[in-house]
Amino acid sequence: MAAAAAQETWTKAHLTVRKQAGGAKLWDEDFAYNPKDFSLNVAAKWKDKSNKGGLLSAEYNGPVAQSLQVEMFLDASDDVNGDISKKVKKLCSFVNPTADSRSKNKPSAPHVDFTWGEAITFEGYISAVAVKYTLFRQNGKPVRGTVTLTLKQFAAPEQKTNPSSGGEPGSRSHKVVAGDTLASIAFGEYGSAAYWRKIAEANPMIDDPMRLNPGTSLLVPPE
């Protein structure tokens, strides 16, 4: 009993999927069982260089998107009507662009937050889902299995400014209305809320990206 009580206090890994950063939730759930491990990959692009005299300093060509791989264990064997395939299908659907972004011809993946206590946090999108069913009912319904999720970091928007002209060629303006945030404007303009920093860089007078003054004209750089 003491061991069971202690286990109930363990912090659960958590997965939240949203239409966009800060947007409506498509999925929000604690892991029923914490992963036994997870893998985080961090890398950068380096190009080795040399000449007849020998090796030269490697050339840095920028970062590589971080990726995280984590396994979810699903078990509905205690439920007489249990069937984990519906949950699996929902997770698999998140590898595709959201319906809203497709309708605007600017496909964007759902925004995913993976957290496990305070030490482990990751924001990105689901790039792959691998499923392994391990237990079935007589009617073929899967009731136990594992889902391996591969999450990747969203690419940072390319930052370009042209102080001499007040903005890049092709820049346009956006007049702030009540309720606007940089994230919501970025989603409307580019199809992804992750590009809010691009607008912030072009408008250095902004103090708080979540609090914009209605009526303010913002410079929106080209994508």
Side-chain angles (χ1 to χ4, degrees), residues 71-90:
E71 189 176 83
M72 293 184 72
F73 180 70
L74 304 178
D75 187 358
S77 58
D78 290 339
D79 183 352
V80 294
N81 296 313
D83 179 0
I84 66 172
S85 65
K86 295 179 180 179
K87 185 171 289 187
V88 169
K89 288 178 181 177
K90 186 68 174 177

Side-chain angles (χ1 to χ4, degrees), residues 86-105:
K86 295 179 180 179
K87 185 171 289 187
V88 169
K89 288 178 181 177
K90 186 68 174 177
L91 284 168
C92 288
S93 72
F94 296 142
V95 303
N96 299 312
T98 62
D100 289 347
S101 66
R102 286 198 302 265
S103 67
K104 296 179 180 179
N105 294 320

Side-chain angles (χ1 to χ4, degrees), residues 20 75 98 118 180:
Q20 63 192 70
D75 187 358
T98 62
E118 297 181 358
D180 269 352

Side-chain angles (χ1 to χ4, degrees), residues 16-27 98 100 110-111:
T16 302
V17 183
R18 301 176 183 273
K19 287 186 177 182
Q20 63 192 70
K25 293 180 181 179
L26 302 173
W27 176 289
T98 62
D100 289 347
H111 186 98

